[in-house]
Amino acid sequence: MTETLTVPLGERSYPIIIGAGVIESLGSELQQINFPKKIAIISNPTVDALYGDTVSSALLKCGYEILRYNVPDGEEFKSIESLCGIFDVLIQNKFDRGCGIIALGGGVVGDMAGFAAATLLRGIPYAQVPTTLLSQVDSSVGGKTAVNHPLGKNLIGAFYQPEIVMIDILSLKTLDAREVSAGLAEVVKYGIMFDYDFFCWLEDNRDKLKSQDSGSLIFAIKTACQLKADIVAQDEKEGSVRSLLNYGHTFGHAVEKLAGYGQYKHGEAVSIGMVVAARLSQLAGLCTNDEVQRIINLLRDLNLPVIPPSYPLDDYIELMQRDKKVRGGQLTMVLNVGIGRAQMKIVNDLPNQLEKVLSINEKGTL
């Protein structure tokens, strides 16, 4: 069972191919889109050990010349230093504008390899082969590429679209349960933001998703990718509605930074951030306590954290004020309107609002 959809961006449109075992057809799929014949496969040691040989074989049998390079494994290595390591090996191996990159791995690899492709020689083609659920439903689609800065996450980057995204659900079999749950957080986000019926489907199929039922996974991934593709088609470079995709991220990024990158999976931090955003929505009169509880219950049933860690309020505020959605010193946050809709809203008196939210537990009411 293979599903295909398109991110419709005119001459920059590209396919997303989803299925079990599709990684083995990577070479033939690249041939169909006239991808460059000289390719660097950017991965990390963990993913390369699992899939590097399979991807290499799929490319070699179709006549591609390949170079394999691994970046260190972990969010803490999503840095300018690691990016320069990619540049060094590509330049030393005489990569030019007639060459390409494949990002083989999770969100860290995808973001760094994509940013390398966006900036080397002012841009060379690249393809995304995401191997985690989080990267399959989020970072591999839409062309956001970046590295972190010591003062904040994803502060240095570019919008640069891939030529193709190949999503093989068999790669999820090698993930631990915690990593799968982290990916499901982003799936839940799409339901809260854009599709009430999808949210209800997630509630009804939570056990199938946790057990990695193939049909359920393919449906969830396709739906999430389609919802994101629809948004990207409207707003490729986050000038308006694409900002809605950051639901839960403003507070979630602060959690990641305060805890130290790697202590919380990105999806775990986003889960906490979504609960905080839902509570802020409740304070603003945009949703009910019952709706907040449905969100909390689904996240908790997917084995995701829902309680913010106990860091000082001032530390949270400082990091949130560095968010990319701050304009003129005012923080605009993504808030849910009930379940299935969202809006951008300036959060006035953020310290008092956030203090109220942080003072309750997951069973409390405002």
Side-chain angles (χ1 to χ4, degrees):
M1 179 179 177
T2 301
E3 297 279 358
T4 302
L5 56 99
T6 300
V7 180
L9 290 169
E11 62 182 19
R12 295 187 314 287
S13 298
Y14 54 92
I16 303 172
I17 299 172
I18 308 163
V22 298
I23 201 171
E24 296 180 5
S25 63
L26 178 61
S28 58
E29 293 291 346
L30 293 181
Q31 283 181 323
Q32 291 186 39
I33 61 172
N34 295 316
F35 200 79
K37 284 295 185 180
K38 184 175 180 179
I39 298 174
I41 304 170
I42 308 298
S43 190
N44 66 40
T46 302
V47 175
D48 182 54
L50 291 168
Y51 306 111
D53 289 345
T54 301
V55 169
S56 296
S57 176
L59 296 176
L60 289 170
K61 72 180 182 182
C62 290
Y64 288 95
E65 177 187 350
I66 61 171
L67 167 73
R68 290 162 68 169
Y69 177 74
N70 291 332
V71 296
D73 192 1
E75 182 77 32
E76 64 270 31
F77 298 108
K78 187 179 167 183
S79 64
I80 289 290
E81 291 75 20
S82 296
L83 181 68
C84 285
I86 297 175
F87 289 147
D88 288 346
V89 74
L90 295 182
I91 293 169
Q92 289 164 3
N93 283 275
K94 297 181 171 58
F95 270 65
D96 56 34
R97 287 178 176 170
C99 304
I101 288 175
I102 289 176
L104 174 65
V108 171
V109 166
D111 277 9
M112 280 203 294
F115 191 36
T119 49
L120 182 72
L121 304 173
R122 299 191 177 92
I124 65 173
Y126 80 110
Q128 288 275 12
V129 184
T131 57
T132 66
L133 181 56
L134 184 69
S135 59
Q136 289 174 355
V137 300
D138 186 49
S139 58
S140 68
V141 178
K144 269 191 176 181
T145 70
V147 295
N148 298 333
H149 185 275
L151 294 179
K153 183 167 178 170
N154 294 334
L155 295 182
I156 304 167
F159 290 98
Y160 193 67
Q161 302 297 337
E163 302 294 317
I164 189 172
V165 180
M166 297 283 288
I167 297 175
D168 194 330
I169 65 165
L170 294 184
S171 67
L172 305 182
K173 298 295 184 183
T174 58
L175 301 179
D176 61 31
R178 183 181 173 192
E179 194 74 59
V180 174
S181 291
L184 289 172
E186 291 279 2
V187 176
V188 171
K189 177 191 75 175
Y190 291 105
I192 298 171
M193 291 289 90
F194 306 119
D195 192 328
Y196 177 77
D197 290 340
F198 183 46
F199 185 89
C200 294
W201 182 90
L202 292 170
E203 289 180 313
D204 293 339
N205 291 274
R206 64 189 81 185
D207 291 334
K208 288 183 178 180
L209 291 169
K210 286 194 293 184
S211 66
Q212 295 198 42
D213 172 72
S214 294
S216 299
L217 277 175
I218 289 174
F219 177 79
I221 293 168
K222 181 185 178 183
T223 303
C225 288
Q226 185 65 68
L227 288 167
K228 184 165 188 178
D230 292 343
I231 291 294
V232 171
Q234 296 175 58
D235 177 22
E236 182 181 358
K237 297 188 176 180
E238 204 169 297
S240 55
V241 295
R242 184 166 180 166
S243 293
L244 296 176
L245 295 170
N246 291 304
Y247 180 68
H249 287 60
T250 300
F251 191 85
H253 284 170
V255 169
E256 287 183 274
K257 176 66 175 175
L258 290 171
Y261 291 127
Q263 295 303 307
Y264 282 88
K265 304 279 187 190
H266 176 67
E268 293 172 338
V270 168
S271 174
I272 294 169
M274 289 193 291
V275 174
V276 168
R279 287 297 190 194
L280 289 170
S281 298
Q282 185 184 354
L283 277 174
L286 299 176
C287 72
T288 67
N289 185 66
D290 287 346
E291 288 165 331
V292 176
Q293 287 303 316
R294 285 181 68 183
I295 292 168
I296 289 173
N297 290 341
L298 178 55
L299 293 170
R300 189 169 49 204
D301 288 348
L302 293 172
N303 301 321
L304 287 159
V306 295
I307 302 176
S310 298
Y311 297 113
L313 176 66
D314 288 346
D315 290 352
Y316 277 124
I317 297 295
E318 180 183 357
L319 285 170
M320 292 172 75
Q321 290 291 355
R322 293 181 193 159
D323 188 85
K324 296 185 290 297
K325 295 180 292 303
V326 171
R327 297 289 187 274
Q330 288 187 306
L331 174 62
T332 302
M333 284 191 67
V334 186
L335 300 182
N336 55 294
V337 180
I339 295 175
R341 292 191 298 133
Q343 70 176 51
M344 303 294 299
K345 185 174 177 61
I346 294 173
V347 181
N348 294 311
D349 196 15
L350 179 62
N352 282 337
Q353 299 273 57
L354 190 58
E355 186 174 28
K356 289 180 182 178
V357 168
L358 297 180
S359 67
I360 62 173
N361 62 36
E362 83 268 27
K363 293 181 180 178
T365 57
L366 291 167

